[in-house]
Amino acid sequence: MKKIQCLYLMVYFLFFLSSVSSAQKKFIHPGILFSSSDLQRIYQTAKDKSSAGYASFELLSNNPLASSDYKLKGPFRVISRDGEFGNTKSLMEADFSAAYLNSLMWIATRDQKHAQKSIEILLGYADSLQRIPSTNDAPLLVGLEGTKIINALEILKYDFKRADPKKLERIIRMVKGIFLPVCEQFYASPAYTNGNWGPIVTKFYLSAAIYLDDQKMYDKAIRFYLHANDNGTIANYVDGETGQIQESGRDQGHSQLGIGAMATICEIAWKQGDDLYAALNNRLLKGFEYTARYNLGNEVPFKKWKDITGKYSDWEQISVIGRGRFIPVYQMVYNHYVRRKGLLMPFTQQVIAKMGAEGYDRDQPGFGGLLYLGSK
């Protein structure tokens, strides 16, 4: 069975790669997490109190990090999630979230104070940040915070006409000089992490590739998602038979973190005309349904398997840690598979109903009712 799955993956990968690499790709802008039609739809949703996504907009507008009066916690010369400078973790995460959420508020309200706040935050870091130390969590920092930075930049560059190109260039120099080298080092290293790391790094790398109109980077990110020798590929993270997640035996929070990052990669590629959601017969759908089903309180099959690194292969049973604590990753993928494609996701649908309006948790795009309900 494994050989058949690997053969299928190779055939799919070769076909996909030839389709995206046969000619220089013309990147769509805006087109990372949001297309131009998404921007218009988000604005209309936020204006209409009767719309299905309005409750999600209220969660955004009431979030202190989305305020145009937000006060910077930094900027810092060095940022880190762990080690000597680990004290900056929660502070810089709040700052980068505020930059991202203010860019969303610009879309939703057309109040230029939000766009200006987003630029102010990012420019502060661009003019002060000197390095990200090579600590254990450096790839996670870059993947999680870099995704916020790049998506805010894409919105500001292509939708805020008063954005100063020279200021945006200073910000992107920070991305290229400090953030992207951490990704390159991660990709160059032998597999050593649980599977959520790979898609977290890759969702940022793919975003940066689009912003920079860099086809080699784009293709590299796609190759990783489909074909890398890493726990964080669609083939290695989600079991093809049951949908079990590589981290299901670890805890439910990391499992949701991983599939959420994968959905983000798929959504970004979709905006560029490439369907990663369909990889391996819609395997990501199966992973979401398995995770939703278990976290709703149902029994699911579980098998012990050997992961790519051999380091995370001792889990004998599915973990109850974090069971039933849902994070806001379900609306985006449900919108694709069910609303766009007409497929069924009954357990994911139950999760959405149970959660109500989708908010924000720092590590995901969040606010699915506002951002993705009705996205084409």
Side-chain angles (χ1 to χ4, degrees):
M1 191 66 176
K2 281 280 188 183
K3 289 182 178 179
I4 294 174
Q5 291 175 346
C6 289
L7 180 60
Y8 181 93
L9 176 61
M10 185 171 292
V11 171
Y12 178 88
F13 166 71
L14 291 173
F15 172 79
F16 180 88
L17 189 59
S18 66
S19 68
V20 299
S21 301
S22 58
Q24 179 63 38
K25 189 174 186 69
K26 183 175 175 58
F27 289 98
I28 299 166
H29 298 287
I32 301 180
L33 279 171
F34 313 111
S35 66
S36 58
S37 63
D38 287 329
L39 302 186
Q40 296 169 18
R41 177 185 46 75
I42 290 166
Y43 176 65
Q44 293 300 325
T45 298
K47 283 175 56 179
D48 183 2
K49 292 185 178 181
S50 66
S51 66
Y54 187 79
S56 190
F57 167 67
E58 287 187 303
L59 292 177
L60 168 63
S61 61
N62 291 330
N63 191 311
L65 300 178
S67 170
S68 62
D69 293 325
Y70 174 81
K71 303 301 182 186
L72 265 167
K73 308 293 189 293
F76 304 98
R77 291 191 301 170
V78 183
I79 56 174
S80 182
R81 288 170 53 97
D82 54 343
E84 180 182 357
F85 299 94
N87 63 297
T88 65
K89 179 182 183 296
S90 62
L91 303 176
M92 60 90 180
E93 287 173 342
D95 285 346
F96 291 130
S97 287
Y100 168 63
L101 297 192
N102 269 279
S103 73
L104 296 185
M105 283 296 290
W106 156 249
I107 297 171
T109 67
R110 294 297 164 186
D111 182 345
Q112 66 182 14
K113 290 180 183 178
H114 290 290
Q116 290 166 343
K117 175 59 66 173
S118 186
I119 293 173
E120 173 195 322
I121 295 168
L122 296 179
L123 198 61
Y125 276 87
D127 291 342
S128 63
L129 187 63
Q130 296 179 2
R131 66 188 179 97
I132 296 172
S134 299
T135 62
N136 181 73
D137 276 13
L140 288 177
L141 185 162
V142 164
L144 294 169
E145 308 313 316
T147 301
K148 301 171 193 175
I149 294 169
I150 287 291
N151 277 280
L153 277 176
E154 180 85 351
I155 291 166
L156 295 167
K157 181 176 181 178
Y158 292 100
D159 194 60
F160 182 50
K161 304 305 181 186
R162 297 185 64 180
D164 184 343
K166 292 182 180 179
K167 291 182 178 179
L168 299 186
E169 182 58 33
R170 280 153 60 188
I171 298 167
I172 201 64
R173 280 202 301 268
M174 171 186 69
V175 171
K176 292 192 290 185
I178 298 177
F179 281 71
L180 282 174
V182 179
C183 296
E184 299 294 358
Q185 180 60 45
F186 177 82
Y187 288 142
S189 302
Y192 68 99
T193 65
N194 272 299
N196 72 83
W197 288 52
I200 284 172
V201 170
T202 300
K203 69 178 181 177
F204 162 61
Y205 196 82
L206 186 64
S207 298
I210 295 166
Y211 186 88
L212 296 169
D213 293 309
D214 191 316
Q215 183 170 349
K216 288 184 179 179
M217 285 178 60
Y218 185 89
D219 291 347
K220 183 174 181 175
I222 300 299
R223 284 196 299 270
F224 182 91
Y225 181 78
L226 293 173
H227 203 57
N229 182 47
D230 190 272
N231 283 325
T233 70
I234 186 60
N236 296 330
Y237 198 61
V238 183
D239 182 74
E241 296 179 3
T242 66
Q244 179 182 324
I245 307 304
Q246 180 259 318
E247 297 183 89
S248 291
R250 180 186 184 189
D251 60 60
Q252 299 310 305
H254 283 95
S255 296
Q256 292 177 85
L257 180 67
I259 57 175
M262 287 188 157
T264 302
I265 290 170
C266 292
E267 187 67 23
I268 292 168
W270 179 261
K271 291 297 190 289
Q272 296 298 321
D274 297 318
D275 189 0
L276 293 185
Y277 278 116
L280 298 181
N281 195 28
N282 301 315
R283 187 176 294 189
L284 187 59
L285 179 155
K286 188 171 289 187
F288 266 88
E289 281 292 275
Y290 178 94
T291 304
R293 180 181 177 184
Y294 178 68
N295 282 278
L296 285 165
N298 303 295
E299 296 302 311
V300 293
F302 182 86
K303 63 184 178 183
K304 182 178 178 180
W305 75 28
K306 187 174 179 63
D307 82 294
I308 293 298
T309 71
K311 294 164 56 178
Y312 311 107
S313 302
D314 297 329
W315 296 314
E316 300 281 354
Q317 59 189 16
I318 192 166
S319 177
V320 299
I321 299 172
R323 189 180 188 183
R325 292 203 295 267
F326 297 103
I327 64 175
V329 297
Y330 292 90
Q331 284 276 12
M332 178 195 290
V333 75
Y334 185 84
N335 184 68
H336 177 80
Y337 285 121
V338 178
R339 299 189 183 106
R340 286 174 182 156
K341 294 299 183 181
L343 302 175
L344 298 177
M345 297 185 79
F347 294 107
T348 300
Q349 184 177 24
Q350 291 177 48
V351 170
I352 290 172
K354 186 179 183 69
M355 290 180 69
E358 195 172 82
Y360 183 67
D361 84 331
R362 184 193 68 203
D363 294 337
Q364 307 289 345
F367 306 110
L370 172 66
L371 303 183
Y372 294 103
L373 189 63
S375 177
K376 302 299 184 185

